[in-house]
Amino acid sequence: MKDVNIRSVRFSVALDEKFEKIARKLGRTKRLLFAQMVDYFYKTKKDPTDLNDDLLKNTLVKNHQQYIGFIRAQENMLLVPIKVEVDKVSRSQRDIIERFNSEILKHNALVLSGQKSHVLAMAEMEKSVALLVKKTKDADVLKAQFLFLLEEYISARESLGMRASAKDRQELGNKFKDQVRLL
């Protein structure tokens, strides 16, 4: 079997101590750690001298710009039309409220004033009906009193009899006429 590990790298003792500390910390052999480091730098295309990792920053900025572009596209496609429609609905609601306040409230005021005038008219009608009822009762009382006087007159006339003089009859008639006038 041929040994594939024929290459070697020379470095200082201080660097070897750091390298060994890292290998122990990660729990790997120095050879395995070295192979993984090479694979890492090869795959990520990072420069080990770039301690600030500008490539990572650039990638993050690029992704951030893509997200912002996506959000702006969504804003233009969805949010702006929704805002326009909400503004239209808001304006129409304001118009409805203004019309309600101007037309309906005026109509309600007219209806209330009409109701007040109807109430006053009804009160006048009630007074008139009460007056009519009172006059009807007065007329009924008057009729009853008249009937009573008439019956008294008839009985008084019959009590005079046939022999009464015309003068007595005339006095009796005048007396009852005076009583009817007093009703």
Side-chain angles (χ1 to χ4, degrees), residues 137-150:
K137 286 181 182 178
D138 289 346
D140 288 342
V141 168
L142 191 61
K143 285 178 189 176
Q145 289 175 346
F146 182 74
L147 285 174
F148 176 75
L149 285 176
L150 183 62

Side-chain angles (χ1 to χ4, degrees), residues 72-89 91:
R72 286 189 178 142
Q74 294 298 313
E75 178 182 6
N76 289 334
M77 287 173 24
L78 297 173
L79 295 178
V80 170
I82 288 172
K83 183 183 181 305
V84 168
E85 291 299 318
V86 166
D87 287 344
K88 285 180 185 176
V89 168
R91 269 187 256 116

Side-chain angles (χ1 to χ4, degrees), residues 17-149:
E17 287 175 2
K18 287 181 185 177
F19 188 49
E20 193 160 331
K21 281 182 183 177
I22 293 172
R24 264 189 267 129
K25 182 179 176 183
L26 297 174
R28 300 177 192 139
T29 63
K30 289 196 291 185
R31 183 177 292 175
L32 177 62
L33 180 61
F34 182 75
Q36 288 174 342
M37 286 172 23
V38 170
D39 285 341
Y40 174 78
F41 288 119
Y42 183 77
K43 288 178 184 175
T44 61
K45 296 181 175 111
K46 291 184 180 180
D47 183 5
T49 60
D50 185 11
L51 297 177
N52 290 327
D53 203 4
D54 285 335
L55 183 63
L56 179 62
K57 285 181 186 177
N58 291 339
T59 305
L60 289 174
V61 167
K62 182 180 174 185
N63 286 340
H64 184 69
Q65 292 298 329
Q66 286 176 341
Y67 289 138
I68 289 174
F70 174 76
I71 290 170
R72 286 189 178 142
Q74 294 298 313
E75 178 182 6
N76 289 334
M77 287 173 24
L78 297 173
L79 295 178
V80 170
I82 288 172
K83 183 183 181 305
V84 168
E85 291 299 318
V86 166
D87 287 344
K88 285 180 185 176
V89 168
S90 176
R91 269 187 256 116
S92 68
Q93 288 295 323
R94 259 183 263 127
D95 291 345
I96 289 170
I97 289 170
E98 285 176 17
R99 287 189 181 135
F100 179 81
N101 286 339
S102 65
E103 298 297 323
I104 302 298
L105 294 179
K106 285 179 186 176
H107 178 72
N108 286 348
L110 287 174
V111 167
L112 286 175
S113 66
Q115 285 178 346
K116 287 178 184 177
S117 65
H118 284 108
V119 166
L120 293 174
M122 291 295 288
E124 288 296 320
M125 282 188 219
E126 286 177 3
K127 288 179 185 177
S128 299
V129 168
L131 187 61
L132 286 173
V133 167
K134 183 180 179 218
K135 288 190 179 199
T136 304
K137 286 181 182 178
D138 289 346
D140 288 342
V141 168
L142 191 61
K143 285 178 189 176
Q145 289 175 346
F146 182 74
L147 285 174
F148 176 75
L149 285 176

